[in-house]
Amino acid sequence: MEAHDAAPAALREQFDAAFDVALSQLKELPDPLERAKVAHGLAGRVQDYGNEFQAVRNEAMNETLRVGRLNSTQLASELGISKGRVSQLAKGAPPERLFLGSGKVIVALAEKLEDGNDKDGKKKAIQGPVIATEDVQTYERLRELAEDVGLEVSFERIPLGGNVRLNRNNLVVICGPRLSPLIEQILEGDPHLRFGKDDDGWYLTDRNTGQIYRSPMDRGENGDIAYFGRLPRPDGKGTFLYVAGIHARGSGGVVHWLNQELATVHRELKARRFSTLISSRFDPETLEIVASEQITPFYRPEGA
């Protein structure tokens, strides 16, 4: 077998083997009700995986045509479908959608305890866990972006303590490291960019240049800086997108920037791991992000 055929063949063999094992174990369940319930659930999972495979296929077809490697007739012959079907599949959703996900995207938002002063300046009692208004606004802008490229999005809460289930596909996490020890540990694996905290508050450091980035909000200005990256899952079987500003407002700057750069970012990175910093400014009246820019390169871990 030629070298360039080995990887696809290995992928097919791995998929077939995993499927055969799962199907065999399913058939061996002795309780028919349990067997029916598990089979029903797995049928839905298989459909979800099928949608993800189709999204990857369509994006790859689009790229093959875009770079001129094959024309529609040649690609149809390679795939064993009609030229019309090639046009239908490749020209559907834009390829950059895959940067966000290939199926239903879950956006996980961290809860926190909210306290503060009331209108008379008196200390209020600590309320129950809430999601920051800024994070909800960031989610809404991200949902709009994802829907624009043909993806369905929903959100879930990360409970107090930051215990979020990271080992799944199509996940975006918006949660500062102070709210999740799990996230904090994963961020420590980034050799390039790092959150830190001192007497002046939280900051971000570019470990390659030694540059320290502090939030303009801490100087009374209408701006913030955010970390943006694709980080490894704990199970080693994939990645998740991660967004966190020094303050919650900075996360919205990442989505504002992605609205302008998604196609370019996808062409450069695809689903590979990276980290970068995004600076943004917001309107003090509406609190909407009005400007954003990338202020560090896309840093990549060795071998990724």
Side-chain angles (χ1 to χ4, degrees):
M1 180 181 295
E2 294 185 15
H4 67 274
D5 293 327
L11 283 173
R12 287 191 291 268
E13 290 175 3
Q14 292 172 15
F15 181 84
D16 289 342
F19 183 84
D20 289 344
V21 169
L23 185 60
S24 176
Q25 292 176 347
L26 173 65
K27 291 178 178 179
E28 292 173 1
L29 292 176
D31 185 335
L33 176 57
E34 182 183 14
R35 194 163 64 245
K37 291 168 67 176
V38 173
H40 178 70
L42 288 176
R45 293 288 297 275
V46 169
Q47 182 176 359
D48 289 341
Y49 284 129
N51 291 337
E52 294 195 27
F53 286 137
Q54 290 171 18
V56 173
R57 174 201 62 191
N58 296 353
E59 187 273 340
M61 292 170 63
N62 191 304
E63 183 175 357
T64 299
L65 294 173
R66 188 177 66 249
V67 302
R69 181 173 178 180
L70 299 175
N71 60 35
S72 296
T73 301
Q74 293 167 327
L75 182 56
S77 177
E78 288 284 338
L79 297 177
I81 59 179
S82 69
K83 181 179 177 180
R85 184 63 172 154
V86 165
S87 178
Q88 180 185 26
L89 294 175
K91 303 303 181 183
E96 57 265 26
R97 75 199 294 263
L98 284 180
F99 183 81
L100 299 175
S102 55
K104 184 176 182 179
V105 176
I106 302 296
V107 180
L109 305 174
E111 291 183 335
K112 65 175 186 176
L113 289 177
E114 186 177 72
D115 57 6
N117 299 322
D118 61 22
K119 63 181 180 180
D120 297 321
K122 296 180 180 179
K123 192 74 171 180
K124 296 188 296 183
I126 294 177
Q127 307 298 309
V130 298
I131 296 175
T133 300
E134 297 92 337
D135 285 344
V136 174
Q137 292 174 335
T138 296
Y139 165 74
E140 290 298 332
R141 298 295 175 267
L142 182 58
R143 180 183 58 79
E144 293 169 0
L145 172 61
E147 290 179 350
D148 283 346
V149 295
L151 290 169
E152 182 182 355
V153 180
S154 64
F155 84 91
E156 68 179 31
R157 293 171 175 263
I158 301 174
L160 296 178
N163 187 19
V164 55
R165 185 164 65 90
L166 299 174
N167 296 331
R168 47 186 166 157
N169 296 328
N170 304 313
L171 178 67
V172 181
V173 175
I174 301 175
C175 173
R178 72 181 182 87
L179 297 177
S180 173
L182 174 60
I183 293 295
E184 185 176 22
Q185 289 180 35
I186 292 176
L187 286 170
E188 287 176 355
D190 186 337
H192 305 289
L193 301 172
R194 184 69 57 85
F195 275 95
K197 188 176 187 296
D198 59 19
D199 292 341
D200 294 323
W202 286 88
Y203 59 90
L204 282 155
T205 301
D206 184 331
R207 304 179 74 190
N208 299 284
T209 65
Q211 176 73 43
I212 293 177
Y213 296 90
R214 296 187 181 273
S215 174
M217 291 180 67
D218 294 332
R219 303 189 298 268
E221 301 174 13
N222 303 317
D224 198 22
I225 296 171
Y227 179 106
F228 179 41
R230 189 182 298 277
L231 304 179
R233 289 170 18 178
D235 64 1
K237 297 180 180 179
T239 59
F240 63 96
L241 282 175
Y242 176 72
V243 179
I246 295 177
H247 297 284
R249 184 64 58 193
S251 298
V254 172
V255 178
H256 182 276
W257 179 77
L258 269 182
N259 261 294
Q260 308 167 67
E261 302 293 339
L262 182 60
T264 301
V265 171
H266 172 68
R267 282 196 298 271
E268 181 170 347
L269 296 172
K270 299 294 190 296
R272 295 188 290 270
R273 287 172 52 189
F274 72 93
S275 60
T276 190
L277 299 184
I278 305 296
S279 174
S280 60
R281 293 187 293 106
F282 59 88
D283 186 307
E285 298 291 333
T286 65
L287 302 183
E288 291 287 343
I289 304 295
V290 296
S292 57
E293 63 174 331
Q294 183 181 11
I295 57 174
T296 69
F298 288 121
Y299 289 124
R300 304 283 313 286
E302 289 187 17

